Amino acid sequence: MLKVTYRGRFAPSPTGPLHFGSLVAATGSFLEARTHGGEWLLRIEDVDAPRCSSAAATAMLSALEAHGFEWDGHPVWQSRRADAYAATLERLIAAGHVFACACTRRELADSAIAPDGAAIYPGTCRAGLPPGRAARAWRLRVGTARIAFDDAIQGHVESDLAREAGDFILRRADGLFAYQLAVVVDDAEAGITHVVRGADLLLSTARQIHLQGCLGVAMPAYAHLPVAVNAAGEKLSKQTLAAPLDLLRPAASVVAALDFLGQSPPAGLAAADVAAVWAWAVANWRLARVPRGPAPCPVA
Ligand code: GLU
């Protein structure tokens, strides 16, 4: 059997409709996979159940189809994978990588804040729960780990996890598994070789590489795409009220994403049908032309 040398994926969180920011990540990861003769898998990242809905996930799948994306196999739904996350957490606890944490949000309110907005854990329960306190969440020790990796777009990236992120949560106080754990378990189980996603996740990548090391699973290659921002400089998201893509004009949106990714699509391509846009894109895609970003979103 032929060994797969490139397996990529797109892993949207179904918190709202497909917007230009997610289209950029889908486009970049899809074209990298296809131009390497690789597979492109789809994973619905609905592990944070209160923020996600199956209606949004279904709408996202239809929107991807309307934009001409074709994925390999069936999408994986994180909401159905709690057993796999629980088994991995047990392993990490048994190996001493994870500790129980009793701290409440209020107790951590004065913590330093990581560049991506997460609280940097001050270490209160790292050596054991304080007397009389019960476990609420489970955290991964980062120790003195310094993470370095070579990103195909952003270049050499280094991070000092203790200072920049701190011991991070793998299972939350509400019982839900954290995104960091779910992504590492799912990417490893699917045999993902290449992760192409937005540069807003760079610090998450450092956390995930540390977790991969604790689990002894392979580190995929990474390429972090420029992030599309709104007029206020904020990443497009449901919270920043990103506009849903117009499903009646998929070619124009894909062309805008290609332009955003530095591919200089020819004038007039937006008027073609979406299959012709993808044919042009597959024939002309060059990762080396992708800017590091961030850049303003070109479509309203
Ligand atoms: N679900 C994440 C998001 O939509 C992406 C995670 C990933 O690509 O690893 O931001």
Side-chain angles (χ1 to χ4, degrees):
M1 207 173 91
L2 206 64
K3 184 168 162 15
V4 174
T5 52
Y6 192 114
R7 183 175 286 149
R9 77 336 182 249
F10 175 53
S13 303
T15 54
L18 190 72
H19 56 70
F20 185 75
S22 20
L23 179 68
V24 164
T27 300
S29 60
F30 179 68
L31 288 170
E32 269 296 279
R34 290 295 182 246
T35 56
H36 284 84
E39 297 176 353
W40 188 68
L41 311 187
L42 194 58
R43 182 167 73 230
I44 303 297
E45 298 215 313
D46 55 351
V47 68
D48 188 353
R51 289 184 57 231
C52 300
S53 78
S54 60
T58 309
M60 191 160 264
L61 292 173
S62 315
L64 289 169
E65 258 164 14
H67 284 83
F69 289 98
E70 286 171 8
W71 49 90
D72 294 295
H74 294 293
V76 167
W77 295 68
Q78 289 187 328
S79 53
R80 300 174 192 166
R81 289 189 35 79
D83 290 351
Y85 308 145
T88 303
L89 186 67
E90 285 306 321
R91 260 181 68 200
L92 290 163
I93 294 171
H97 291 302
V98 166
F99 63 90
C101 175
C103 299
T104 61
R105 202 179 280 266
R106 180 183 294 189
E107 285 168 327
L108 297 176
D110 296 336
S111 307
I113 300 296
D116 62 1
I120 300 179
Y121 189 63
T124 322
C125 302
R126 194 179 290 140
L129 290 174
R133 298 289 302 270
R136 291 167 50 83
W138 294 87
R139 290 180 183 271
L140 185 71
R141 299 176 197 281
V142 299
T144 52
R146 293 189 72 89
I147 302 295
F149 62 100
D150 289 310
D151 186 275
I153 297 168
Q154 307 294 330
H156 188 70
V157 179
E158 277 193 28
S159 87
D160 173 347
L161 269 188
R163 210 169 46 80
E164 290 170 39
D167 298 333
F168 54 91
I169 289 190
L170 296 188
R171 188 170 201 171
R172 309 180 344 185
D174 60 7
L176 291 174
F177 294 99
Y179 156 71
Q180 309 293 353
L181 177 68
V183 169
V184 169
V185 171
D186 291 344
D187 281 344
E189 194 169 308
I192 298 300
T193 60
H194 291 73
V195 171
V196 180
R197 61 186 178 191
D200 53 303
L201 290 166
L202 272 172
L203 188 52
S204 283
T205 298
R207 295 184 183 99
Q208 289 163 24
I209 291 173
H210 177 60
L211 179 50
Q212 288 156 5
C214 295
L215 290 169
V217 299
M219 179 180 102
Y222 288 100
H224 286 84
L225 302 166
V227 174
V229 296
N230 63 18
E234 301 158 326
K235 182 196 147 186
L236 303 185
S237 68
K238 188 181 177 201
Q239 287 77 23
T240 60
L241 306 177
L245 291 171
D246 181 350
L247 299 189
L248 299 176
R249 301 176 62 244
S253 300
V254 176
V255 168
L258 291 167
D259 193 39
F260 181 86
L261 290 169
Q263 305 299 306
S264 309
L269 190 60
D273 67 25
V274 78
V277 174
W278 285 118
W280 181 90
V282 169
N284 292 281
W285 171 254
R286 300 281 178 280
L287 188 72
R289 293 195 196 131
V290 176
R292 288 178 170 187
C297 168
V299 291

